[in-house]
Amino acid sequence: MPEPIIGAPAPDFSLPATGNRTISLADLRGQTVVLYFYPKDSTPGCTQEGQEFQQLSGEFAALGAVILGVSRDSVASHEKFRARHGFSFDLLSDAQETTCRAYDVIREKNMYGKTVLGIERSTFLIDADGVLREAWRKVKVKDHAAAVLERLKAL
């Protein structure tokens, strides 16, 4: 699938989420959405990324933004990960990779000498009208959430 385009409508999605819910982008109209894709629950980088978003979650909320994390892990895995770290935001399960592919985050990776397909850590900022405003690819975790918050303030 082609990469989503800044200034164009963000690809819609509807995915199972923590809290025994299904979350759709269409249902979030009127709110800004921070959609971040991460490789795997409970791994060091993914934990740090979630913790950094959690630390700033009040500031995101004050600006009308909803934070959503997406990986291929199951909702049950997400529930444990979320509870263990006290995340107040929802985690979405994309086991079929439909949303990952719509946002073009599935990439070849080298794991212990083998080539595998996995999620490239990426974040998308979607405005209240469902328009993609910013995309970060090949994200480095440290201070990333703060950079997203600064961009949100500039909208």
Side-chain angles (χ1 to χ4, degrees):
M1 281 200 146
E3 189 172 306
I5 300 167
I6 304 292
D12 199 7
F13 59 83
S14 184
L15 292 171
T18 48
N20 198 28
R21 304 181 319 145
T22 298
I23 295 178
S24 301
L25 182 59
D27 294 340
L28 297 171
R29 287 287 152 82
Q31 299 175 79
T32 303
V33 176
V34 174
L35 187 67
Y36 81 92
F37 291 85
Y38 64 97
K40 187 146 184 67
D41 290 346
S42 300
T43 56
C46 298
T47 298
Q48 181 183 349
E49 184 175 26
Q51 289 170 333
E52 288 192 13
F53 274 114
Q54 180 59 39
Q55 288 167 354
L56 298 172
S57 63
E59 293 182 60
F60 280 101
L63 294 169
V66 175
I67 300 167
L68 298 172
V70 182
S71 82
R72 298 180 299 182
D73 294 306
S74 68
V75 172
S77 175
H78 284 342
E79 291 287 6
K80 290 177 192 168
F81 183 46
R82 184 179 185 222
R84 186 176 308 121
H85 298 288
F87 298 155
S88 58
F89 51 86
D90 284 299
L91 301 176
L92 286 62
S93 175
D94 190 17
Q96 303 302 315
E97 299 179 356
T98 54
T99 302
C100 289
R101 292 193 183 281
Y103 282 82
D104 195 32
V105 299
I106 299 294
R107 297 278 190 253
E108 283 189 358
K109 296 176 155 191
N110 191 336
M111 298 277 289
Y112 308 108
K114 287 187 170 186
T115 301
V116 297
L117 289 179
I119 292 176
E120 176 182 76
R121 195 179 307 278
S122 304
T123 302
F124 300 88
L125 184 60
I126 303 164
D127 73 14
D129 295 320
V131 175
L132 182 62
R133 292 294 169 201
E134 190 70 61
W136 291 264
R137 303 241 179 215
K138 297 182 183 177
V139 166
K140 301 293 183 228
V141 172
K142 185 163 174 38
D143 299 323
H144 173 63
V148 175
L149 181 62
E150 288 307 308
R151 178 64 178 98
L152 173 61
K153 288 176 181 177
L155 280 184

